[in-house]
Amino acid sequence: SDISSVVVGTLSNTSDCFAAAPGVGSVLGRYGNYTGAIAAPDFAQNSVINFDLTMTSCGGSYSNFFQIYIDWNRDGDFLDPNEQVYSQPSSVVGSQNISGSFTVPCDVLPGITRMRVINVEATASTTNYAHTPYTYGETEDYCINVVQGSSVPVVTCPSDIIEYANG
């Protein structure tokens, strides 16, 4: 199985089963590093980002599903609670195309960060495959640019701090 098309917001990339990605560390059919090859699209805070992902079978039809992660806090991992922005609820056997959307958190800091798209040959689960080894499938990394949302007043962001008015 190979991820053959990734469209997330204005980011668009196609690849095939027989060509490795151009980035450092890329391994044909396992890992594609597109962080320096594809321009980072702007994702505005509090905006809804649409995506369309395609997996192409490269020699067999197996159960598979997609996940998307974004390192919102730029700590170099995808382990924080809101960094899994999509996990396909059920597997599909063979090639597939899925569409969906996610919302950029309103309190994420502007700047460049990493997005990881994964297709795993397995039964769909919420397992964090950005950090859990898998036997068959592919992972692709991209950069995105979080920008301040023009219509997002800071007061709309939820806060873990509760302020009490003196009265």
Side-chain angles (χ1 to χ4, degrees):
S1 300
D2 233 17
I3 299 170
S4 54
S5 177
V6 172
V7 177
V8 183
T10 59
L11 181 147
S12 181
N13 185 46
T14 58
S15 57
D16 65 43
C17 299
F18 309 105
V24 174
S26 294
V27 177
L28 181 64
R30 296 291 295 154
Y31 173 69
N33 180 354
Y34 292 98
T35 59
I38 305 293
D42 290 343
F43 286 13
Q45 295 164 325
N46 207 37
S47 65
V48 174
I49 305 296
N50 295 315
F51 63 84
D52 188 64
L53 307 173
T54 303
M55 188 287 294
T56 300
S57 292
C58 299
S61 291
Y62 304 99
S63 183
N64 68 88
F65 70 103
F66 279 100
Q67 292 182 332
I68 303 172
Y69 294 84
I70 300 178
D71 187 15
W72 296 124
N73 63 358
R74 295 184 206 95
D75 65 352
D77 65 39
F78 301 97
L79 294 170
D80 300 288
N82 65 344
E83 291 184 336
Q84 184 183 78
V85 298
Y86 177 76
S87 187
Q88 190 173 346
S90 59
S91 299
V92 171
V93 175
S95 298
Q96 67 162 312
N97 178 265
I98 60 154
S99 297
S101 63
F102 59 86
T103 302
V104 178
C106 61
D107 58 350
V108 67
L109 294 175
I112 300 289
T113 193
R114 188 170 291 229
M115 175 177 69
R116 179 164 286 174
V117 178
I118 302 169
N119 181 270
V120 179
E121 287 184 9
T123 302
S125 73
T126 57
T127 299
N128 182 331
Y129 281 105
H131 284 279
T132 302
Y134 57 86
T135 304
Y136 298 103
E138 186 183 21
T139 296
E140 293 186 357
D141 280 351
Y142 299 89
C143 286
I144 64 157
N145 183 34
V146 176
V147 297
Q148 186 169 356
S150 60
S151 62
V152 182
V154 176
V155 294
T156 64
C157 289
S159 175
D160 293 335
I161 301 170
I162 300 172
E163 293 183 8
Y164 295 95
N166 292 333

